[in-house]
Amino acid sequence: MPWLEIDGKPVEVPAGMNLIEAARLLNVEIPHYCYHAGLTVVGSCRMCQVEVEVGGRKSVAIGCNTKAADGMKVYTKTEVVHKLRQSILEFYLQHHPLDCPICDDAGECDLQNYYMEHGLHESRVALAEKKHKHKVVDVGPTVVLDSERCVLCSRCVRFCREITGTDELGIFNHGRDAELLTTPGKRLDNDYSGCVVDLCPVGALTDKDFRFKRRVWYMKRTASVCTGCSRGCNIFMDWEIDRRYKDPERRIQRLKPRYNQMVNEWWICDQGRYSYHAVDAANRLLAPVTKSASNGHAPSIDEVIASVAEKLQAVVAKSGAGSIAVLASASSSNEDLYALNRLFVEKLKVQNIDCTFGFEPKGKEDELLKRADLTPNRRGALELKIKPWGGDGQGGDELLAAVVEGEFDAVIVIRHDLSKALSERDLAKLRKNTGYIVCLAEHTTGWSDVADVVLPLAMWAEREATYTNFQGRVQKTARPFEPHGLARAEWEIWSKLGAHFGVELGAETPQALFDRIGAHFESFAGLSWDALSTGGKMLNGTPEPAYRRVQSAHPLPAY
Amino acid sequence: MQIPDTLKKKAAEIGFRYPEDKRQSGLIPLLFEVQRELGWITPEAEAWVAETLGVTEVKVREVITFYSMMRAEPSGKYLIQVCQNIACCLTGGEELQHHIEKKLGIHPGETTKDGMFTLKCVECLGGCSWGPMMLVNEDQYFQLSKEKVDKVIDGLRAGEPLVADNPTPLLGNVAGETVA
Ligand code: SF4
Ligand code: SF4
Ligand code: FES
Ligand code: FES
């Protein structure tokens, strides 16, 4: 591995690493536009120039396309480098519009930031002489283009060429007329189109969903995990709750991918990116709902749970645990399922429990990230022995059929929309045949026809939880804010209900619960909440999957 | 619009020149053929070229819009490109352009009413030491004067063009060879 010196500091780097990455290891930022570790190197923006000394000879080189070599000396802060950066920025800004006050990228724009850090020059081009190009071009369902702001770094072009293979964008014309556009008649419309907005170093590509919603400096950022499918892409939640007069019901402002080489690299799919709308949706279930008359008094969660406990106790006393069925969910977190298991399987000895149902929606699967299985924790459910009913795979559907046929006196339905799973006739049958139905739901749809009691669930953004992705990687979500209304984490509901049955979970936080899972289940042994860190850990005895795509021959630092 | 058989035949010939996995090398030659045949590269032809060579439409578009000698819009029978780069300007390129504008009654980017000429000003045409110069379709004319320009344009109108100064090196034949 080559040893080199960057700004006088020695550093050893993996062979083949370029100077931008090598400098990063020393926390030295070499400004750049066109280079992106996930894309091919084109060396077109010339922003990353540094002075390089090899064998006593000093010259100027671009950091993105120069590989670190043994004995090399790199200078990133000399007068020459400063002049280079200033000149390049002057070049870029010649015809750049003075848009910062209205540009959605202000605050996270590399042109703006670099200008403040390295540019600060007087413009030699009068405002009236600036070149004009297309503004507010509707290029696709998720993205708006302002080609005047584009620095022609071609990151978005390469993304659509190299990553999605859809090739919608190109740079047309040449010289100062060069302009980024879609081919006439084509739209930037692929399953990952939002990623070009993340990639764009300036405000040329902006996200329709986010445009003009917030200034970036008002937002806080929390590292979390997407629960949109069984991949579990790493994300940042950008959220803001202090300025409630601005769409008060919208706490999360946007999701951005968070780099994890083993899971999603730098990308997320559009479906995941915009999934956050469900968290603050108008149809969130905010309070428990019961069928029995309440005399105008809104029952508290505790009251409702007490009534559920009473009812279940009566059912067990009358016809035994065999008369309870639990339609569990692979969208529940590891902690939820652990608590569920402790209460229903271990304590009440309920056998009729499953989380594999054919009616669950299937997504589109592709080579990049998207998985057909839209539940984030199927693997976790299986590891935690939420066993398929009948023990042989697709037992869920038979369990559901048995439920409809009236084989059970009480049914617990977790996160399932039975109105989608069953025909109207079957729903009516279920209603007639089953004495008591409890639903746990996040939204107000899907249960009203069937449930005696509905308990409101907190969503992934409102709770800390762990999920096990299809590869066996356990990752955790974070909770920047409290759940809406009276919604509660699923495990909290089981914990409260369990208290009526004398079940002690032995832990009252997701962290402690997760550590108990480690003590109980072999595959989680040795894992702890803290050790999951922000990148997750593989289940005990499950090998790390191969790197998804070997762009560089070395693992890259997270940033 | 149908792609004429002659073009399809040309495409096959061009394809033949390159190894199977390097078919896209035929992009520029094929685009020139399209232009010769159709006068400009129509959207249908653009799509056909992409499909024929197995390259994406974006790539074809990038190439067509990058090179000034590619015509993505209908143009006159003769495309006159006058060099406006430094060497030609020093030897009178700018005046020549004004002369042509006056003579044809059009501005750069426009086509004469009779559909004969389209005028374009472009950067260096690669004949700097023999400036000022212009390119008419694929023919180069060097060391121009107003008189020489008149002769070229009038000759084209009359169907007796002045012989180009150097048989075009643009399309693969070496300077000095005559084009068949
Ligand atoms: S739109 Fe953005 S990402 Fe695309 S080329 Fe322009 S500056 Fe680069
Ligand atoms: S691929 Fe799956 S986990 Fe990744 S962003 Fe999309 S929905 Fe979320
Ligand atoms: S990052 Fe090196 S030239 Fe653009
Ligand atoms: S400057 Fe006119 S041909 Fe080069």
Side-chain angles (χ1 to χ4, degrees), chain A residues 422-442:
Chain A
L422 300 174
S423 67
E424 249 168 59
R425 238 189 69 219
D426 282 351
L427 267 185
K429 222 165 154 189
L430 166 71
R431 184 58 279 188
K432 192 167 134 279
N433 286 341
T434 309
Y436 191 58
I437 303 176
V438 182
C439 289
L440 275 66
E442 292 162 337

PDB file of all heavy atoms in Angstrom, chain A residues 422-442:
ATOM      1  N   LEU A 422     -59.502  -9.815   1.851  1.00  0.00           N
ATOM      2  CA  LEU A 422     -60.697 -10.653   1.804  1.00  0.00           C
ATOM      3  C   LEU A 422     -61.788 -10.027   0.944  1.00  0.00           C
ATOM      4  O   LEU A 422     -61.898  -8.805   0.854  1.00  0.00           O
ATOM      5  CB  LEU A 422     -61.248 -10.843   3.222  1.00  0.00           C
ATOM      6  CG  LEU A 422     -60.307 -11.521   4.230  1.00  0.00           C
ATOM      7  CD1 LEU A 422     -60.938 -11.497   5.619  1.00  0.00           C
ATOM      8  CD2 LEU A 422     -60.001 -12.950   3.805  1.00  0.00           C
ATOM      9  N   SER A 423     -62.586 -10.870   0.360  1.00  0.00           N
ATOM     10  CA  SER A 423     -63.734 -10.385  -0.394  1.00  0.00           C
ATOM     11  C   SER A 423     -64.775  -9.878   0.609  1.00  0.00           C
ATOM     12  O   SER A 423     -64.696 -10.172   1.804  1.00  0.00           O
ATOM     13  CB  SER A 423     -64.337 -11.528  -1.204  1.00  0.00           C
ATOM     14  OG  SER A 423     -64.891 -12.478  -0.314  1.00  0.00           O
ATOM     15  N   GLU A 424     -65.754  -9.134   0.120  1.00  0.00           N
ATOM     16  CA  GLU A 424     -66.762  -8.604   1.024  1.00  0.00           C
ATOM     17  C   GLU A 424     -67.525  -9.726   1.723  1.00  0.00           C
ATOM     18  O   GLU A 424     -67.872  -9.628   2.899  1.00  0.00           O
ATOM     19  CB  GLU A 424     -67.727  -7.706   0.263  1.00  0.00           C
ATOM     20  CG  GLU A 424     -67.553  -6.256   0.684  1.00  0.00           C
ATOM     21  CD  GLU A 424     -68.263  -5.306  -0.238  1.00  0.00           C
ATOM     22  OE1 GLU A 424     -69.494  -5.440  -0.359  1.00  0.00           O
ATOM     23  OE2 GLU A 424     -67.574  -4.446  -0.823  1.00  0.00           O
ATOM     24  N   ARG A 425     -67.723 -10.791   0.978  1.00  0.00           N
ATOM     25  CA  ARG A 425     -68.448 -11.925   1.558  1.00  0.00           C
ATOM     26  C   ARG A 425     -67.650 -12.535   2.708  1.00  0.00           C
ATOM     27  O   ARG A 425     -68.169 -12.802   3.780  1.00  0.00           O
ATOM     28  CB  ARG A 425     -68.704 -12.981   0.481  1.00  0.00           C
ATOM     29  CG  ARG A 425     -70.195 -13.280   0.301  1.00  0.00           C
ATOM     30  CD  ARG A 425     -70.416 -14.473  -0.604  1.00  0.00           C
ATOM     31  NE  ARG A 425     -69.993 -15.718  -0.020  1.00  0.00           N
ATOM     32  CZ  ARG A 425     -69.380 -16.697  -0.707  1.00  0.00           C
ATOM     33  NH1 ARG A 425     -69.130 -16.544  -1.991  1.00  0.00           N
ATOM     34  NH2 ARG A 425     -69.056 -17.816  -0.110  1.00  0.00           N
ATOM     35  N   ASP A 426     -66.353 -12.701   2.457  1.00  0.00           N
ATOM     36  CA  ASP A 426     -65.502 -13.286   3.499  1.00  0.00           C
ATOM     37  C   ASP A 426     -65.379 -12.380   4.713  1.00  0.00           C
ATOM     38  O   ASP A 426     -65.310 -12.842   5.852  1.00  0.00           O
ATOM     39  CB  ASP A 426     -64.114 -13.603   2.938  1.00  0.00           C
ATOM     40  CG  ASP A 426     -64.136 -14.877   2.106  1.00  0.00           C
ATOM     41  OD1 ASP A 426     -65.175 -15.565   2.121  1.00  0.00           O
ATOM     42  OD2 ASP A 426     -63.119 -15.181   1.447  1.00  0.00           O
ATOM     43  N   LEU A 427     -65.340 -11.067   4.429  1.00  0.00           N
ATOM     44  CA  LEU A 427     -65.262 -10.121   5.542  1.00  0.00           C
ATOM     45  C   LEU A 427     -66.499 -10.262   6.431  1.00  0.00           C
ATOM     46  O   LEU A 427     -66.397 -10.292   7.658  1.00  0.00           O
ATOM     47  CB  LEU A 427     -65.190  -8.690   5.017  1.00  0.00           C
ATOM     48  CG  LEU A 427     -63.805  -8.062   4.815  1.00  0.00           C
ATOM     49  CD1 LEU A 427     -63.968  -6.606   4.419  1.00  0.00           C
ATOM     50  CD2 LEU A 427     -62.949  -8.169   6.060  1.00  0.00           C
ATOM     51  N   ALA A 428     -67.638 -10.319   5.767  1.00  0.00           N
ATOM     52  CA  ALA A 428     -68.889 -10.444   6.514  1.00  0.00           C
ATOM     53  C   ALA A 428     -68.893 -11.745   7.319  1.00  0.00           C
ATOM     54  O   ALA A 428     -69.311 -11.786   8.488  1.00  0.00           O
ATOM     55  CB  ALA A 428     -70.065 -10.409   5.550  1.00  0.00           C
ATOM     56  N   LYS A 429     -68.372 -12.777   6.691  1.00  0.00           N
ATOM     57  CA  LYS A 429     -68.295 -14.091   7.333  1.00  0.00           C
ATOM     58  C   LYS A 429     -67.404 -14.017   8.581  1.00  0.00           C
ATOM     59  O   LYS A 429     -67.773 -14.481   9.661  1.00  0.00           O
ATOM     60  CB  LYS A 429     -67.657 -15.055   6.328  1.00  0.00           C
ATOM     61  CG  LYS A 429     -68.302 -16.421   6.271  1.00  0.00           C
ATOM     62  CD  LYS A 429     -67.814 -17.093   5.019  1.00  0.00           C
ATOM     63  CE  LYS A 429     -67.841 -18.592   5.103  1.00  0.00           C
ATOM     64  NZ  LYS A 429     -67.159 -19.188   3.951  1.00  0.00           N
ATOM     65  N   LEU A 430     -66.256 -13.394   8.388  1.00  0.00           N
ATOM     66  CA  LEU A 430     -65.307 -13.240   9.490  1.00  0.00           C
ATOM     67  C   LEU A 430     -65.980 -12.498  10.643  1.00  0.00           C
ATOM     68  O   LEU A 430     -65.909 -12.904  11.801  1.00  0.00           O
ATOM     69  CB  LEU A 430     -64.087 -12.456   8.990  1.00  0.00           C
ATOM     70  CG  LEU A 430     -63.141 -11.891  10.034  1.00  0.00           C
ATOM     71  CD1 LEU A 430     -62.360 -13.015  10.707  1.00  0.00           C
ATOM     72  CD2 LEU A 430     -62.151 -10.913   9.421  1.00  0.00           C
ATOM     73  N   ARG A 431     -66.669 -11.416  10.294  1.00  0.00           N
ATOM     74  CA  ARG A 431     -67.342 -10.583  11.274  1.00  0.00           C
ATOM     75  C   ARG A 431     -68.376 -11.405  12.063  1.00  0.00           C
ATOM     76  O   ARG A 431     -68.467 -11.338  13.272  1.00  0.00           O
ATOM     77  CB  ARG A 431     -68.006  -9.444  10.501  1.00  0.00           C
ATOM     78  CG  ARG A 431     -68.712  -8.330  11.210  1.00  0.00           C
ATOM     79  CD  ARG A 431     -67.857  -7.607  12.157  1.00  0.00           C
ATOM     80  NE  ARG A 431     -67.797  -8.372  13.403  1.00  0.00           N
ATOM     81  CZ  ARG A 431     -67.239  -7.937  14.497  1.00  0.00           C
ATOM     82  NH1 ARG A 431     -66.624  -6.787  14.515  1.00  0.00           N
ATOM     83  NH2 ARG A 431     -67.249  -8.653  15.585  1.00  0.00           N
ATOM     84  N   LYS A 432     -69.069 -12.229  11.314  1.00  0.00           N
ATOM     85  CA  LYS A 432     -70.141 -12.997  11.928  1.00  0.00           C
ATOM     86  C   LYS A 432     -69.583 -14.140  12.791  1.00  0.00           C
ATOM     87  O   LYS A 432     -70.065 -14.412  13.884  1.00  0.00           O
ATOM     88  CB  LYS A 432     -71.020 -13.568  10.812  1.00  0.00           C
ATOM     89  CG  LYS A 432     -72.336 -14.163  11.287  1.00  0.00           C
ATOM     90  CD  LYS A 432     -73.259 -14.406  10.110  1.00  0.00           C
ATOM     91  CE  LYS A 432     -73.889 -15.782  10.172  1.00  0.00           C
ATOM     92  NZ  LYS A 432     -73.056 -16.867   9.690  1.00  0.00           N
ATOM     93  N   ASN A 433     -68.500 -14.767  12.269  1.00  0.00           N
ATOM     94  CA  ASN A 433     -67.980 -15.974  12.911  1.00  0.00           C
ATOM     95  C   ASN A 433     -67.113 -15.715  14.129  1.00  0.00           C
ATOM     96  O   ASN A 433     -66.958 -16.580  14.980  1.00  0.00           O
ATOM     97  CB  ASN A 433     -67.116 -16.759  11.924  1.00  0.00           C
ATOM     98  CG  ASN A 433     -67.977 -17.455  10.885  1.00  0.00           C
ATOM     99  OD1 ASN A 433     -69.170 -17.641  11.104  1.00  0.00           O
ATOM    100  ND2 ASN A 433     -67.372 -17.802   9.778  1.00  0.00           N
ATOM    101  N   THR A 434     -66.477 -14.532  14.154  1.00  0.00           N
ATOM    102  CA  THR A 434     -65.482 -14.312  15.191  1.00  0.00           C
ATOM    103  C   THR A 434     -66.018 -13.356  16.228  1.00  0.00           C
ATOM    104  O   THR A 434     -66.477 -12.256  15.910  1.00  0.00           O
ATOM    105  CB  THR A 434     -64.188 -13.753  14.570  1.00  0.00           C
ATOM    106  OG1 THR A 434     -63.831 -14.605  13.497  1.00  0.00           O
ATOM    107  CG2 THR A 434     -63.067 -13.716  15.581  1.00  0.00           C
ATOM    108  N   GLY A 435     -65.917 -13.772  17.471  1.00  0.00           N
ATOM    109  CA  GLY A 435     -66.505 -12.969  18.541  1.00  0.00           C
ATOM    110  C   GLY A 435     -65.778 -11.674  18.784  1.00  0.00           C
ATOM    111  O   GLY A 435     -66.378 -10.638  19.084  1.00  0.00           O
ATOM    112  N   TYR A 436     -64.447 -11.682  18.630  1.00  0.00           N
ATOM    113  CA  TYR A 436     -63.691 -10.528  19.084  1.00  0.00           C
ATOM    114  C   TYR A 436     -62.483 -10.300  18.173  1.00  0.00           C
ATOM    115  O   TYR A 436     -61.668 -11.205  17.969  1.00  0.00           O
ATOM    116  CB  TYR A 436     -63.227 -10.784  20.518  1.00  0.00           C
ATOM    117  CG  TYR A 436     -62.654  -9.573  21.190  1.00  0.00           C
ATOM    118  CD1 TYR A 436     -63.399  -8.406  21.334  1.00  0.00           C
ATOM    119  CD2 TYR A 436     -61.358  -9.610  21.706  1.00  0.00           C
ATOM    120  CE1 TYR A 436     -62.864  -7.295  21.981  1.00  0.00           C
ATOM    121  CE2 TYR A 436     -60.820  -8.501  22.352  1.00  0.00           C
ATOM    122  CZ  TYR A 436     -61.581  -7.342  22.484  1.00  0.00           C
ATOM    123  OH  TYR A 436     -61.043  -6.262  23.101  1.00  0.00           O
ATOM    124  N   ILE A 437     -62.400  -9.127  17.603  1.00  0.00           N
ATOM    125  CA  ILE A 437     -61.285  -8.845  16.683  1.00  0.00           C
ATOM    126  C   ILE A 437     -60.566  -7.571  17.116  1.00  0.00           C
ATOM    127  O   ILE A 437     -61.187  -6.507  17.269  1.00  0.00           O
ATOM    128  CB  ILE A 437     -61.792  -8.683  15.230  1.00  0.00           C
ATOM    129  CG1 ILE A 437     -62.554  -9.950  14.810  1.00  0.00           C
ATOM    130  CG2 ILE A 437     -60.636  -8.409  14.274  1.00  0.00           C
ATOM    131  CD1 ILE A 437     -63.169  -9.870  13.438  1.00  0.00           C
ATOM    132  N   VAL A 438     -59.274  -7.712  17.342  1.00  0.00           N
ATOM    133  CA  VAL A 438     -58.451  -6.565  17.724  1.00  0.00           C
ATOM    134  C   VAL A 438     -57.501  -6.248  16.576  1.00  0.00           C
ATOM    135  O   VAL A 438     -56.823  -7.144  16.068  1.00  0.00           O
ATOM    136  CB  VAL A 438     -57.596  -6.884  18.978  1.00  0.00           C
ATOM    137  CG1 VAL A 438     -56.779  -5.662  19.385  1.00  0.00           C
ATOM    138  CG2 VAL A 438     -58.474  -7.358  20.105  1.00  0.00           C
ATOM    139  N   CYS A 439     -57.474  -4.989  16.161  1.00  0.00           N
ATOM    140  CA  CYS A 439     -56.530  -4.597  15.104  1.00  0.00           C
ATOM    141  C   CYS A 439     -55.517  -3.615  15.657  1.00  0.00           C
ATOM    142  O   CYS A 439     -55.842  -2.791  16.508  1.00  0.00           O
ATOM    143  CB  CYS A 439     -57.272  -3.934  13.948  1.00  0.00           C
ATOM    144  SG  CYS A 439     -58.261  -5.071  12.978  1.00  0.00           S
ATOM    145  N   LEU A 440     -54.294  -3.712  15.138  1.00  0.00           N
ATOM    146  CA  LEU A 440     -53.286  -2.697  15.413  1.00  0.00           C
ATOM    147  C   LEU A 440     -52.953  -2.058  14.078  1.00  0.00           C
ATOM    148  O   LEU A 440     -52.616  -2.772  13.127  1.00  0.00           O
ATOM    149  CB  LEU A 440     -52.021  -3.317  16.019  1.00  0.00           C
ATOM    150  CG  LEU A 440     -52.014  -3.544  17.545  1.00  0.00           C
ATOM    151  CD1 LEU A 440     -53.044  -4.583  17.930  1.00  0.00           C
ATOM    152  CD2 LEU A 440     -50.631  -3.907  18.008  1.00  0.00           C
ATOM    153  N   ALA A 441     -53.079  -0.743  14.000  1.00  0.00           N
ATOM    154  CA  ALA A 441     -52.920  -0.122  12.689  1.00  0.00           C
ATOM    155  C   ALA A 441     -52.256   1.239  12.799  1.00  0.00           C
ATOM    156  O   ALA A 441     -52.264   1.886  13.856  1.00  0.00           O
ATOM    157  CB  ALA A 441     -54.291   0.026  12.025  1.00  0.00           C
ATOM    158  N   GLU A 442     -51.660   1.648  11.685  1.00  0.00           N
ATOM    159  CA  GLU A 442     -51.021   2.964  11.620  1.00  0.00           C
ATOM    160  C   GLU A 442     -51.960   3.991  10.991  1.00  0.00           C
ATOM    161  O   GLU A 442     -51.887   5.163  11.283  1.00  0.00           O
ATOM    162  CB  GLU A 442     -49.731   2.864  10.793  1.00  0.00           C
ATOM    163  CG  GLU A 442     -48.660   2.029  11.494  1.00  0.00           C
ATOM    164  CD  GLU A 442     -47.561   1.537  10.569  1.00  0.00           C
ATOM    165  OE1 GLU A 442     -47.806   1.442   9.348  1.00  0.00           O
ATOM    166  OE2 GLU A 442     -46.476   1.256  11.069  1.00  0.00           O
TER     167      GLU A 442
END
